[in-house]
Amino acid sequence: MKKKINHDMAIVLSSFLMIPAILLYGLYLQINGEDSPGGGFQAGVVFAVVYILYVSLFDYKTASKIVPTNFFLNGLSLGVLLYLGTGCASMLMGGNFLEYAVFSNNFAKAQYIGVFLIELGVGLTVFCAMVIFYISFILYDGRNR
């Protein structure tokens, strides 16, 4: 017997209209994080909200067909590697850990490159960690929403 999903159309429609706006706001936070309040952590949480909203609308099995759980496990590792790789690359280029000045002769450009890579690593790590936490909670719950 197939499980029938019964949702109010107003909730589903408004959620689908909100998802692109939430993604755009998360992208804004990620890109402008080094110049204004926000950054990788906040953007990662906002991106995780989109996935959690989608799972709340449908169920985990439907969402895992679109984005498999392995993506989040690999993304978590990739985000940490990006953060550590940026620091190690600066050491290999003759600087200290996370010393961005070695990335370019132009100090402002070097700072931009270094901070962008760090914020990208943090955003990816936080996004994947929040989704993994959520998945762990719903799987532990036993109802498999």
Side-chain angles (χ1 to χ4, degrees):
M1 185 169 137
K2 262 194 149 173
K3 180 179 163 186
K4 188 174 180 182
I5 299 172
N6 188 9
H7 288 297
D8 186 12
M9 276 308 285
I11 293 173
V12 173
L13 183 61
S14 63
S15 297
F16 273 123
L17 291 175
M18 285 188 329
I19 285 176
I22 296 170
L23 284 172
L24 187 63
Y25 182 63
L27 190 62
Y28 170 78
L29 285 174
Q30 180 68 45
I31 292 173
N32 294 320
E34 63 268 3
D35 296 332
S36 63
F41 186 88
Q42 291 84 350
V45 171
V46 169
F47 286 133
V49 163
V50 171
Y51 185 82
I52 292 169
L53 178 62
Y54 190 83
V55 171
S56 298
L57 282 175
F58 299 103
D59 60 358
Y60 170 67
K61 290 178 183 173
T62 304
S64 66
K65 289 178 185 174
I66 295 172
V67 182
T69 307
N70 285 340
F71 171 82
F72 301 112
L73 297 172
N74 294 333
L76 187 66
S77 302
L78 182 65
V80 172
L81 274 172
L82 187 58
Y83 185 91
L84 289 175
T86 303
C88 290
S90 63
M91 286 184 357
L92 290 173
M93 296 175 80
N96 293 324
F97 188 74
L98 296 177
E99 183 180 346
Y100 309 133
V102 297
F103 291 138
S104 177
N105 292 335
N106 183 349
F107 182 75
K109 184 177 179 181
Q111 287 294 109
Y112 179 79
I113 291 169
V115 172
F116 180 78
L117 290 173
I118 291 297
E119 293 292 333
L120 189 62
V122 169
L124 185 60
T125 302
V126 169
F127 164 60
C128 293
M130 292 295 166
V131 171
I132 289 171
F133 290 153
Y134 181 74
I135 290 170
S136 300
F137 286 138
I138 64 172
L139 291 180
Y140 180 72
D141 183 28
R143 289 184 278 180
N144 290 334
R145 300 177 200 245

